[in-house]
Amino acid sequence: MTTAVRVPLTLGRGIATFSVFVVGYITANLIPLMIIAMVDDLGTTQTVAGAVLTGSLLATALVCLATTRWAAGRSRHLLGRVSLVVMAAGFAVAATVHSAPIACVAIIVGGIGAGGAVAVGGAALAALNNPNRVSGINGLVNRTAVTGILALIPILGLHMTNAFGIVAVLALATVFTISWLPSAPAVEDDSASTAHTPTPLPEGVTEKKLAVAGFTLLVLFAIWAIGEDSLWAVSGIMGAEHAALTEQQMGLALSLSTAGGIGAALVLTALGSRLGRTVPTAVLLVLGAALKLGSCLATDSTTYLVLIIAWNTVYAAAFIYVVAIAAALDPSGRWSAPLLGTYLVGSAFAPLFGTLVTGAVGYVAFGFVLAGISLVLLVPIVSIARLSTRTERASASPGQDPTARYTISVVV
């Protein structure tokens, strides 16, 4: 019998893992451009376009959760190929068939395919050594790719062909990298066929305790998503009404926030596991709470601009650490596979939450609510981060230091 262990990050594994993760999640980042393309080319209203894309994201989230078992097991490569082909087909139809009903259905189908891709990418992350650094690289690749695509689509022309066609091409291209994905850990037994192996557990930790920690992290991440994305959802109108923010300043905030996310990913990639996960996660959650509260209290446009950019940078770093925690809990990807699905579920309700709360109690009270959410989540998330460090050590290869620096091999 072999033990479930993590494998080194090679060039091929990195290309496959980061690509499938980024492609599966890219729709969520392109929604503002996709809405414009649907309104202009299909003649739908903004409400209809928003509802269709919300449905697509919910489909992504639900399929991600539903396919976790396959993504974390021996069907990982098959699920990845099928999901990406479905995603490519759906968005290709949306890009080329300019019939509103057909395109809307195709967009939902594309979201279904994206869900399987996200699950596969999340599970594959957990199979690689040093979850902190791997999660940081994944965040860096994601932010950089999104920034480039967000800049490219308007240059080519904000139409259905470009907004959805580029995603279809990327999904199809990623299909050819799936064979490089790290396989799920397995056991070999003389009397039985290959089967999924349980995670090696540290002393004093049971499967039940690990399962409770994993499920709890998924729920907490969904709640955290509501708090974070609800602020983003109302940041434009709050900035205009509460802090006299101009449209040009909001555009600057969006672009600099993306740059801040790239910077955070670079720093965390360089640090790897040097700082661990427990203390950085605690600091980021507290700092994020303070910045969200400050943003809602700010009545000066410059102050608001600085606080929103700082909050987005901290948010990106915290997101990376939570992904690393989930990946470190189980090398098979049992918890990292569904993680983004739960985030998308929370994210889908964030705009409603943000508008309802601000409409009912105002922006200042909204800030205290958001800060309170982060602080309430602090203790359980930090506790799970500590557990993840212990399980990471238990799943390391014999003689391997899971926190050691490593270089990326060119072997594919």
Side-chain angles (χ1 to χ4, degrees):
M1 180 180 292
T2 59
T3 306
V5 295
R6 302 176 198 276
V7 296
L9 175 62
T10 65
L11 182 60
R13 289 170 184 157
I15 290 173
T17 301
F18 303 140
S19 295
V20 70
F21 192 99
V22 169
V23 169
Y25 190 53
I26 201 166
T27 308
N29 294 292
L30 299 184
I31 279 182
L33 300 184
M34 288 177 167
I35 288 178
I36 295 173
M38 291 177 69
V39 171
D40 291 346
D41 287 5
L42 300 180
T44 64
T45 64
Q46 289 187 13
T47 302
V48 170
V52 170
L53 289 167
T54 296
S56 182
L57 284 182
L58 284 175
T60 298
L62 295 176
V63 172
C64 175
L65 296 175
T67 57
T68 295
R69 182 175 181 180
W70 292 283
R74 290 176 294 170
S75 300
R76 176 177 299 171
H77 294 79
L78 176 61
L79 176 63
R81 291 187 182 94
V82 171
S83 298
L84 289 167
V85 168
V86 171
M87 183 181 178
F91 288 127
V93 170
T96 55
V97 179
H98 291 178
S99 165
I102 294 176
C104 289
V105 172
I107 291 169
I108 301 295
V109 171
I112 291 172
V118 168
V120 167
L125 281 174
L128 301 171
N129 289 339
N130 200 327
N132 281 29
R133 180 166 288 119
V134 168
S135 181
I137 296 173
N138 186 63
L140 175 61
V141 172
N142 182 60
R143 286 274 177 156
T144 304
V146 168
T147 300
I149 294 171
L150 283 172
L152 178 62
I153 291 176
I155 293 174
L156 296 177
L158 197 46
H159 304 293
M160 293 291 291
T161 302
N162 296 325
F164 291 93
I166 287 176
V167 177
V169 170
L170 290 174
L172 188 60
T174 306
V175 172
F176 298 98
T177 71
I178 292 299
S179 60
W180 296 337
L181 278 175
S183 299
V187 296
E188 294 177 0
D189 191 289
D190 293 338
S191 60
S193 58
T194 303
H196 189 71
T197 188
T199 306
L201 299 176
E203 184 178 354
V205 178
T206 63
E207 281 283 355
K208 182 178 180 180
K209 183 176 181 179
L210 190 62
V212 169
F215 278 117
T216 302
L217 183 64
L218 297 182
V219 173
L220 296 178
F221 202 43
I223 296 173
W224 187 71
I226 294 175
E228 301 299 304
D229 284 8
S230 63
L231 176 57
W232 185 249
V234 301
S235 60
I237 189 171
M238 181 171 69
E241 294 181 355
H242 195 60
L245 198 71
T246 66
E247 291 184 3
Q248 290 77 14
Q249 287 175 317
M250 179 49 66
L252 180 63
L254 289 172
S255 58
L256 291 181
S257 294
T258 301
I262 293 175
L266 277 170
V267 170
L268 295 184
T269 299
L271 287 173
S273 296
R274 290 177 179 177
L275 301 180
R277 279 184 290 274
T278 305
V279 173
T281 301
V283 170
L284 289 169
L285 288 176
V286 171
L287 186 56
L291 290 171
K292 283 182 285 189
L293 177 58
S295 298
C296 294
L297 294 176
T299 55
D300 171 71
S301 60
T302 302
T303 303
Y304 181 79
L305 184 70
V306 171
L307 289 173
I308 283 291
I309 293 170
W311 160 66
N312 265 281
T313 303
V314 170
Y315 155 80
F319 189 102
I320 289 170
Y321 269 110
V322 175
V323 172
I325 292 169
L329 281 175
D330 194 312
S332 73
R334 181 184 179 189
W335 305 116
S336 58
L339 188 71
L340 196 55
T342 62
Y343 184 91
L344 289 175
V345 170
S347 181
F349 293 99
L352 178 62
F353 178 81
T355 52
L356 284 178
V357 175
T358 54
V361 299
Y363 296 122
V364 173
F366 180 57
F368 282 99
V369 170
L370 296 184
I373 290 174
S374 289
L375 296 178
V376 168
L377 298 180
L378 175 64
V379 173
I381 289 181
V382 167
S383 298
I384 298 171
R386 292 180 63 186
L387 178 61
S388 76
T389 300
R390 297 175 63 195
T391 56
E392 180 189 358
R393 292 196 182 104
S395 63
S397 302
Q400 174 199 36
D401 177 4
T403 66
R405 292 178 60 88
Y406 58 79
T407 57
I408 299 177
S409 168
V410 296
V411 176
V412 296

